[in-house]
C-alpha cells in the first residue's frame, strides 16, 4: 500500500501495572509505531493510570464485569482500520505491527490475523503444559472444530470491517467467557483467519503455574463452549462456512426439447 494503514492497539487490563509498563515500552519500540494505543482499564486500583500517562497512551476507564465487555469496549472505541489486540503480559517483538500491517494489507477486508505465544516465566512443566494446550488444544483441536484457526487473545489483529460485522453478536455480559474464542466462533461466513506461525509474542505462563489458575481456565472453557453451542451448533456452523467457500455455479440454459421443423425436418 502507498500509505500506512492506521493501526489501533487495544489492551484490556485490571490491576496489572507492572506487566502493562513493559508491554507499553515494547510497543514504543516498534519499527512501525501504532497510530493509537487504548488501554481499557477495568477499575484498576494500582499505578495503571500513571503508567498510561507516562507512556502517552490513551487510558479508557470502564466499569464493566469481565474481559469480554472490557475488550469489546476498546474495539468499539478504536479509530484504526486495523485493530490489534494484546494482553498486558504480551511481549511483542519489534516488528510485530509491521508484520501485521504487511499481512493484512495483502489480505481481503474480512480477514483476521493471529499467531502463537511463546510462554515464559514458569517452571519446565508449566511451560510444556502451556505450549501443548495452546498449539495442540487451542489452535489444533478448536481450529478443527471451527473450520479455521481461532484468534489468540494475546496476539491477534483484525480489519475494522470484521469487528463491524460481529460487534453486535459477541458476548459482553458473561465474564466467564473466553473473549478470543467467542470472537472466533462469531465470525461470519466469508470472514477468514490467517495463522502466521512467525507472528510470535512472548506470554506469561502464570495461567499454568498453579492448580487454581489452571482450573479457572478450564471453567472458562466449559462455559464458553456451552454459550457458543447454544448460539449455533458446530455442525451447522461448519456447514454454513463450507457453503460460503464453494464457488457459485454458473447458470446453465437447460437444453431445449427437440422439435420437428416445417416439412417434417429437424
Amino acid at each position: 500500500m502507498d500509505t500506512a494503514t492506521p493501526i489501533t492497539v487495544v489492551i484490556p487490563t485490571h490491576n496489572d501495572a507492572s506487566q502493562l509498563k513493559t508491554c507499553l515500552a515494547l510497543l514504543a519500540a516498534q519499527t512501525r509505531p501504532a497510530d493509537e494505543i487504548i488501554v481499557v482499564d477495568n477499575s484498576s486500583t494500582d499505578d495503571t493510570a500513571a503508567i498510561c500517562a507516562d507512556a502517552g497512551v490513551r487510558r479508557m476507564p470502564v466499569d464493566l464485569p469481565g474481559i469480554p465487555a472490557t475488550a469489546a469496549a476498546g474495539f468499539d472505541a478504536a479509530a484504526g482500520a486495523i485493530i490489534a489486540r494484546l494482553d498486558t503480559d504480551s511481549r511483542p517483538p519489534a516488528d510485530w505491527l509491521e508484520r501485521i500491517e504487511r499481512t493484512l494489507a495483502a489480505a481481503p477486508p474480512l480477514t483476521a490475523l493471529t499467531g502463537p505465544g511463546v510462554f515464559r516465566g514458569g517452571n519446565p512443566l508449566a511451560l510444556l503444559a502451556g505450549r501443548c494446550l495452546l498449539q495442540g488444544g487451542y489452535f489444533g483441536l478448536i481450529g478443527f472444530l471451527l473450520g479455521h484457526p481461532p484468534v489468540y487473545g494475546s496476539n491477534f489483529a483484525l480489519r475494522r470491517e470484521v469487528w463491524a460485522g460481529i460487534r453486535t453478536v459477541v458476548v459482553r455480559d458473561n465474564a466467564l467467557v473466553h473473549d478470543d474464542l467467542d470472537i472466533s466462533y462469531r465470525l461470519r461466513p466469508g470472514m477468514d483467519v490467517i495463522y502466521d506461525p512467525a507472528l510470535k509474542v512472548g506470554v506469561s505462563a502464570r495461567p499454568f503455574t498453579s492448580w487454581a489458575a489452571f482450573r479457572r481456565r478450564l471453567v472458562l472453557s466449559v462455559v464458553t463452549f456451552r454459550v457458543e453451542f447454544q448460539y449455533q451448533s458446530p455442525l451447522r456452523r461448519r456447514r454454513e462456512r463450507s457453503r460460503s467457500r464453494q464457488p457459485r455455479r454458473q447458470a446453465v440454459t437447460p437444453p431445449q426439447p427437440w422439435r420437428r421443423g416445417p416439412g417434417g425436418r429437424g
Side-chain angles (χ1 to χ4, degrees), residues 138 146 148-151 179-187 237:
Y138 192 65
L146 294 173
H148 60 79
V151 298
D179 66 302
D180 51 359
L181 179 52
D182 178 59
I183 288 174
S184 302
Y185 204 90
R186 304 299 169 122
L187 293 176
R237 187 185 188 281

Side-chain angles (χ1 to χ4, degrees), residues 24-39:
L24 292 178
L26 292 172
L27 283 175
Q30 291 288 301
T31 56
R32 192 280 187 214
D35 297 279
E36 179 184 42
I37 297 174
I38 302 177
V39 174

Side-chain angles (χ1 to χ4, degrees), residues 165-195:
I166 64 173
R167 61 178 300 273
T168 60
V169 295
V170 296
V171 172
R172 299 176 185 242
D173 59 353
N174 191 335
L176 295 179
V177 165
H178 281 299
D179 66 302
D180 51 359
L181 179 52
D182 178 59
I183 288 174
S184 302
Y185 204 90
R186 304 299 169 122
L187 293 176
R188 302 178 188 276
M191 296 179 176
D192 291 319
V193 179
I194 297 172
Y195 173 77

Side-chain angles (χ1 to χ4, degrees), residues 144-146 185 229 232-243:
F144 173 78
L145 176 68
L146 294 173
Y185 204 90
F229 290 174
Q232 186 180 47
S233 74
L235 290 178
R236 180 181 175 186
R237 187 185 188 281
R238 285 181 61 93
R239 184 165 58 246
E240 288 184 355
R241 294 189 69 86
S242 177
R243 288 174 180 169

Side-chain angles (χ1 to χ4, degrees), residues 157-236:
L158 43 74
R159 299 293 303 225
R160 186 177 190 83
E161 294 89 341
V162 174
W163 179 246
I166 64 173
R167 61 178 300 273
T168 60
V169 295
V170 296
V171 172
R172 299 176 185 242
D173 59 353
N174 191 335
L176 295 179
V177 165
H178 281 299
D179 66 302
D180 51 359
L181 179 52
D182 178 59
I183 288 174
S184 302
Y185 204 90
R186 304 299 169 122
L187 293 176
R188 302 178 188 276
M191 296 179 176
D192 291 319
V193 179
I194 297 172
Y195 173 77
D196 180 0
L199 187 73
K200 298 178 181 179
V201 303
V203 292
S204 173
R206 56 187 175 180
F208 307 102
T209 55
S210 71
W211 169 245
F214 182 64
R215 180 178 180 277
R216 174 172 171 75
R217 293 189 70 87
L218 290 179
V219 170
L220 264 61
S221 297
V222 171
V223 171
T224 303
F225 280 119
R226 184 182 302 141
V227 168
E228 306 306 341
F229 290 174
Q230 288 177 349
Y231 171 72
Q232 186 180 47
S233 74
L235 290 178
R236 180 181 175 186

Side-chain angles (χ1 to χ4, degrees), residues 20-105:
L20 176 64
K21 183 176 182 179
T22 303
C23 183
L24 292 178
L26 292 172
L27 283 175
Q30 291 288 301
T31 56
R32 192 280 187 214
D35 297 279
E36 179 184 42
I37 297 174
I38 302 177
V39 174
V40 193
D41 184 2
N42 192 337
S43 305
S44 295
T45 56
D46 58 7
D47 296 332
T48 293
I51 287 172
C52 291
D54 290 343
V57 303
R58 176 184 175 187
R59 172 178 166 265
M60 181 179 171
V62 296
D63 184 16
L64 301 168
I67 294 178
T70 303
F75 288 176
D76 287 342
I82 293 175
I83 306 172
R85 160 72 192 278
L86 291 172
D87 285 325
T88 51
D89 63 359
S90 299
R91 300 294 178 259
D95 66 344
W96 185 67
L97 287 176
E98 181 182 344
R99 183 183 291 273
I100 285 173
E101 181 179 40
R102 182 172 62 248
T103 301
L104 288 182

